[in-house]
């Protein structure tokens, strides 16, 4: 059996077109959705991510503001910018790109973002909303993974899902989203002794550890849905995920490629969240 590819680029295109249509409709009513992005310092990877976010806004009818500050910005100065953007009526989504310089308390900055504008879904408030099953803004990467799983047409209810990884940005919210969709969820991590024993039971595996070849063909149940959140480099310097793609695709039912799987969905779900925040502000 060769797995069907879950095409994150194609799904992103569909979802982004819908965001674009709805954003332009809101603009026509004088309520263009707006995203503000704050970047502190000159980390090259962060600069690329931020540029892609701003570009995606421009391409899909969203207003965006990029504020780029030197690494010497103080926490007080950053908090003042967050406070100003919190009250800016043209801004519906606000994110501060991570990582921040070490002299800044990232948690304090995230906590200062108005929860209604927390389009990253990284705040304790947003995490609490998800934990308790209340509506709110969901972290973009796991939210995108849910859309990819749903796109297979497989019912999630009653299925066994294994999440590999327990980060606050992917693993934990992923587990909660799957639980909310009525899956039975197991969370595995670096201290799990026999990972394969768990993943072999899984109808859905989400790999989010940041280590290549974490999931190999012998660890996968035939027909399973495999979502690869990893972004690593192989020995040839080529981009690869956490899953041994060539091996696992011969066993799984569906699989996301890297690149072209989860990657494009992250910015897409950021746009979806910004639109949602703008719709909420307008209601
Ligand atoms: N750094 C890496 N990914 C992200 C993200 O999704 N949001 C923010 N704010 N910072 C990041």
């Amino acid at each position: 059996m060769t797995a069907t590819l879950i095409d994150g680029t194609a799904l992103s295109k569909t979802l982004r077109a819908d965001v674009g249509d709805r954003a332009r409709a809101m603009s026509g009513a004088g309520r263009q959705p707006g995203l503000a992005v704050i970047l502190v310092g000159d980390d090259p990877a962060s600069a690329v991510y931020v540029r892609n976010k701003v570009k995606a806004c421009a391409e899909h009818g969203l207003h965006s503001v990029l504020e780029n500050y030197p690494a010497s910005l103080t926490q007080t100065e950053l908090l003042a910018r967050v406070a100003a953007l919190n009250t800016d009526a043209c801004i519906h989504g606000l994110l501060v790109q991570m990582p921040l310089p070490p002299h800044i308390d990232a948690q304090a900055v995230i906590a200062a973002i108005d929860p209604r504008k927390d389009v990253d879904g990284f705040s304790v408030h947003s995490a609490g909303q998800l934990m308790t099953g209340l509506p709110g803004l969901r972290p973009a990467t796991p939210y995108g993974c849910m859309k990819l799983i749903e796109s297979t047409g497989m019912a999630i209810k009653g299925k066994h899902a294994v999440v590999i990884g327990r980060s606050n940005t992917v693993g934990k919210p992923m587990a909660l989203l799957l639980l909310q969709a009525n899956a039975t969820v197991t969370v595995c991590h670096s201290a799990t002794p026999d990972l394969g024993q768990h993943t072999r039971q899984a109808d859905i595996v989400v790999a989010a550890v940041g280590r290549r070849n974490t999931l190999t063909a012998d660890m996968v149940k035939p027909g399973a849905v495999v979502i690869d959140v990893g972004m690593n480099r192989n020995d040839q310097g080529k981009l690869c995920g956490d899953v041994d793609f060539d091996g696992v695709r011969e066993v799984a039912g569906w699989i996301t490629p890297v690149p072209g799987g989860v990657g494009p969905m992250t910015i897409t779900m950021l746009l979806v969240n910004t639109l949602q925040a703008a719709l909420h502000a307008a209601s």
Side-chain angles (χ1 to χ4, degrees), residues 46 49 53 95-99 120 122 141 266:
S46 292
Y49 288 139
K53 290 172 187 182
L95 71 85
V96 179
Q97 189 67 21
M98 300 294 150
D120 264 334
F122 287 174
T141 300
T266 298

